[in-house]
């Protein structure tokens, strides 16, 4: 019996060896050691730009033969980061400055290149960033044109004498983030009258326009800024670090094919493109993320 089992094991080993040599898996030869080359789960945060970028990543990878699953609208960084750490999601579009500050709240870097250079040492061992895009989308303190003219506001410094009169709106997590409420208090000595927790996007814009809040945290590439003639206050003390778009990925899933594909996407993304993509999402016919992503990938040859 032992000889029979041994014979079966030998035959099975031989079969597997032949099968491996003849593998047609497009990721088999460039999957990093310890990687499997199988499905990549792409996640996104809970705002439109993140969901669009995630869809761009997903479609670009699928075009190169990579199997992709999608998990959009996972919430804030504080929520989805656990999924990246435990492997339930593999890839997500991120922003360099806030990503660095998430893992190192005392990080002093604010300029684009120095922020990016500091990231590898700050990240958990299982995560890496690929090449950053020129595209940048920063948090900003935003007011209406009426408020800006009333208080003669051009920068956050100009707002400081009025902070005690301001209800400030933004996502709940900025109450704890280093560049959120704590950062504005420390950097500018700006203590707001109160805080209103708001979902990013249309809800925040509406609250600003109807006077529920007098200032709000809004992303600089939000199409609502131009559409509603809102004013982005300058940040002369660099409370908000550089925020270049960057793929954050489980290193075991970062095969050569995956890296080359996502780096090619980053190379095509600049801030003007990001503004145009966000504007496309806000078109009157409200197109699907997948349609906007597909059209852009086709335009840039990806």
């Amino acid at each position: 019996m032992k000889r029979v089992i041994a014979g079966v094991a030998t035959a099975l080993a031989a079969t597997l060896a032949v099968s491996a040599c003849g593998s047609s898996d497009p990721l088999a030869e460039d999957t990093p050691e310890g990687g499997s080359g199988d499905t990549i789960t792409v996640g996104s945060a809970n705002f439109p730009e993140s969901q669009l970028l995630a869809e761009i990543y997903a479609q670009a990878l699928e075009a190169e033969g990579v199997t992709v699953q999608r998990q959009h609208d996972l919430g804030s960084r504080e929520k989805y980061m656990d999924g990246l750490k435990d492997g339930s999601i593999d890839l997500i579009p991120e922003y360099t400055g806030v990503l660095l500050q998430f893992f190192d709240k005392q990080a002093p870097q604010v300029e684009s290149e120095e922020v990016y250079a500091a990231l590898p040492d700050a990240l958990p061992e299982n995560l890496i960033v690929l090449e950053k895009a020129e595209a940048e989308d920063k948090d900003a303190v935003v007011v209406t044109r009426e408020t800006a003219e009333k208080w003669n506001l051009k920068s956050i410094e100009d707002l400081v004498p009025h902070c005690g009169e301001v209800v400030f709106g933004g996502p709940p997590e900025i109450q704890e983030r280093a560049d959120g409420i704590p950062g504005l208090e420390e950097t500018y000595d700006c203590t707001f009258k109160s805080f209103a927790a708001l979902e990013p996007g249309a809800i925040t814009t509406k609250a600003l326009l109807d006077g529920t809040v007098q200032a709000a945290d809004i992303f600089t590439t939000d199409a609502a800024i131009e559409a509603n003639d809102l004013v982005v206050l300058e940040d002369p003390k660099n409370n908000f670090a550089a925020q270049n778009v960057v793929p954050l990925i489980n290193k075991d899933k970062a095969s050569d094919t995956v890296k080359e594909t996502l780096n090619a996407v980053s190379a095509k993304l600049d801030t003007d493109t990001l503004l145009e993509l966000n504007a496309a999402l806000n078109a009157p016919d409200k197109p699907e993320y997948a349609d906007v992503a597909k059209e852009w990938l086709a335009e840039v040859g990806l």
Side-chain angles (χ1 to χ4, degrees):
M1 177 66 73
K2 290 181 179 178
R3 285 197 299 269
V4 171
I5 293 173
V8 171
T10 300
L12 180 58
T15 300
L16 289 173
V18 170
S19 176
C21 291
S23 172
S24 60
D25 181 355
L27 298 181
E29 293 185 5
D30 60 13
T31 299
E33 185 175 351
S36 61
D38 48 3
T39 302
I40 290 182
T41 302
V42 182
S44 79
N46 59 339
F47 57 94
E49 181 177 286
S50 178
Q51 295 175 52
L52 177 58
L53 289 169
E55 184 61 31
I56 287 172
Y57 289 173
Q59 289 190 27
L61 290 171
E62 287 173 331
E64 295 300 324
V66 180
T67 302
V68 171
Q69 290 184 345
R70 294 160 171 79
Q71 290 192 26
H72 291 333
D73 199 12
L74 294 173
S76 68
R77 185 172 295 103
E78 288 77 3
K79 294 178 181 178
Y80 66 66
M81 197 56 71
D82 286 340
L84 282 161
K85 291 176 182 177
D86 67 24
S88 55
I89 58 174
D90 303 309
L91 167 66
I92 201 162
E94 261 293 359
Y95 301 87
T96 54
V98 284
L99 180 61
L100 177 61
Q101 291 174 350
F102 181 83
F103 289 109
D104 181 2
K105 288 182 169 54
Q106 303 304 316
Q109 295 85 359
V110 294
E111 299 299 332
S112 178
E113 294 301 330
E114 63 181 12
V115 168
Y116 182 65
L119 270 171
D121 289 338
L123 295 175
E125 187 176 348
N126 70 315
L127 299 177
I128 60 172
V129 287
L130 303 183
E131 293 179 8
K132 66 178 174 64
E134 181 185 329
E136 188 174 6
D137 182 8
K138 301 177 72 168
D139 291 84
V141 176
V142 177
V143 298
T144 62
R145 177 69 60 185
E146 180 183 3
T147 297
E149 292 177 352
K150 173 184 175 183
W151 288 337
N152 194 27
L153 304 179
K154 293 183 179 179
S155 74
I156 300 173
E157 281 189 314
D158 299 331
L159 182 64
V160 171
H162 305 282
C163 286
E165 305 170 58
V166 170
V167 178
F168 188 74
E173 57 271 12
I174 69 165
Q175 296 176 88
E176 305 296 333
R177 287 184 178 174
D179 64 348
I181 299 297
L184 291 168
E185 290 179 351
E186 181 178 348
T187 306
Y188 288 101
D189 193 24
C190 175
T191 300
F192 295 114
K193 176 182 178 181
S194 61
F195 176 78
L198 302 167
E199 285 292 318
I203 292 175
T204 298
T205 302
K206 181 178 183 300
L208 192 59
L209 292 173
D210 68 18
T212 302
V213 300
Q214 288 72 53
D217 180 279
I218 295 179
F219 302 129
T220 53
T221 58
D222 193 322
I225 292 174
E226 182 176 351
N228 295 283
D229 193 29
L230 301 178
V231 176
V232 176
L233 299 184
E234 296 172 7
D235 178 22
K237 295 184 178 180
N238 292 313
N239 179 69
F240 301 109
Q243 308 290 2
N244 294 90
V245 174
V246 69
L248 178 66
I249 188 169
N250 184 320
K251 68 179 181 182
D252 288 340
K253 296 297 183 82
S255 68
D256 287 347
T257 296
V258 169
K259 288 189 287 188
E260 289 169 5
T261 301
L262 295 176
N263 287 342
V265 170
S266 292
K268 296 290 187 180
L269 277 173
D270 58 22
T271 303
D272 287 342
T273 298
L274 212 50
L275 285 163
E276 291 168 4
L277 288 169
N278 281 310
L281 280 179
N282 282 276
D285 59 345
K286 298 296 180 185
E288 297 292 330
Y289 295 110
D291 294 334
V292 175
K294 182 178 180 180
E295 182 176 349
W296 180 75
L297 287 166
E299 285 178 0
V300 298
L302 294 175

